[in-house]
Amino acid sequence: MEIESSKSKKLTELGKVFLMALGIALFIRYFLFIPVKIEGRSMFPTLEPNSYIVYEPYTKLERFDIILFHDEQGEAFVKRVIALPGESLSYLNDQLYINGEHIEESFLVKGKNNNQVNTPDFTLDSMTGVEVVPEGSYYVLGDNRPRSKDSRMFGFVSEMAVEGKVRFVIFPFNEISILP
């Protein structure tokens, strides 16, 4: 009788440990780091098509963060934050200017073809009719500028539409990396 009671206690303890581990895993999966599959080439070469990323919800965004957001129809997009609320933006000779100051986009170098203009000249005003990014909004672009559907087409991204910041590439295994 005592042996059965001991086995029952061990099974109960093992069950508690399993449920606790499952609870922690589900919490991490749904609230801390969430995996998503990349489709399309708009973030190439930074993110390859069919790779899997993990994003972190509920985080402060900075310039050049890669974010996941949804449009009004619920379609998910992964793009890079180029301009923050209150900033002016322009491109001249394939160079980014924020508030009139040249900002280097070093992440574009590895995919840039010297004979190709990646980002045609424009100003925020010419694209959107406003001079600065409105409060609570971001201006986003894909890293593959010639093939990206981004703020140049659909305008600003509302802070409320942002699901989170992309933190890791987890698949394919030869591409595993932590994104800055």
Side-chain angles (χ1 to χ4, degrees), residues 1-19:
M1 215 54 181
E2 211 171 287
I3 295 173
E4 285 183 28
S5 176
S6 175
K7 283 184 181 180
S8 177
K9 284 182 182 180
K10 285 182 181 179
L11 284 175
T12 302
E13 289 300 313
L14 186 60
K16 288 179 184 177
V17 169
F18 175 77
L19 287 175

Side-chain angles (χ1 to χ4, degrees), residues 65-105:
D65 283 344
I66 298 173
I67 62 170
L68 173 82
F69 62 94
H70 288 86
D71 67 6
E72 295 83 27
Q73 290 77 35
E75 185 177 355
F77 290 90
V78 175
K79 304 292 179 200
R80 191 177 297 272
V81 174
I82 300 299
L84 302 167
E87 295 181 332
S88 68
L89 160 84
S90 64
Y91 275 89
L92 181 62
N93 297 322
D94 215 8
Q95 299 295 309
L96 170 63
Y97 293 87
I98 299 290
N99 298 330
E101 180 183 332
H102 176 256
I103 305 290
E104 189 65 36
E105 294 178 287

Side-chain angles (χ1 to χ4, degrees), residues 73-164:
Q73 290 77 35
E75 185 177 355
F77 290 90
V78 175
K79 304 292 179 200
R80 191 177 297 272
V81 174
I82 300 299
L84 302 167
E87 295 181 332
S88 68
L89 160 84
S90 64
Y91 275 89
L92 181 62
N93 297 322
D94 215 8
Q95 299 295 309
L96 170 63
Y97 293 87
I98 299 290
N99 298 330
E101 180 183 332
H102 176 256
I103 305 290
E104 189 65 36
E105 294 178 287
S106 58
F107 53 87
L108 291 179
V109 173
K110 71 179 182 176
K112 198 169 192 173
N113 177 341
N114 291 334
N115 299 325
Q116 175 185 353
V117 172
N118 281 338
T119 313
D121 293 354
F122 72 90
T123 65
L124 190 62
D125 187 29
S126 69
M127 290 297 232
T128 65
V130 298
E131 293 184 17
V132 298
V133 177
E135 285 303 314
S137 298
Y138 301 97
Y139 198 86
V140 300
L141 296 175
D143 288 359
N144 188 359
R145 302 288 164 78
R147 298 183 184 265
S148 178
K149 180 180 176 186
D150 49 39
S151 285
R152 295 172 292 174
M153 286 86 187
F154 53 69
F156 302 108
V157 173
S158 165
E159 191 175 272
M160 300 304 291
V162 176
E163 295 290 327

Side-chain angles (χ1 to χ4, degrees), residues 27-35 54-57 167-168:
F27 178 80
I28 289 170
R29 160 58 176 93
Y30 287 101
F31 295 104
L32 295 181
F33 296 106
I34 303 168
V54 175
Y55 74 93
E56 175 187 9
R167 290 296 196 172
F168 309 101

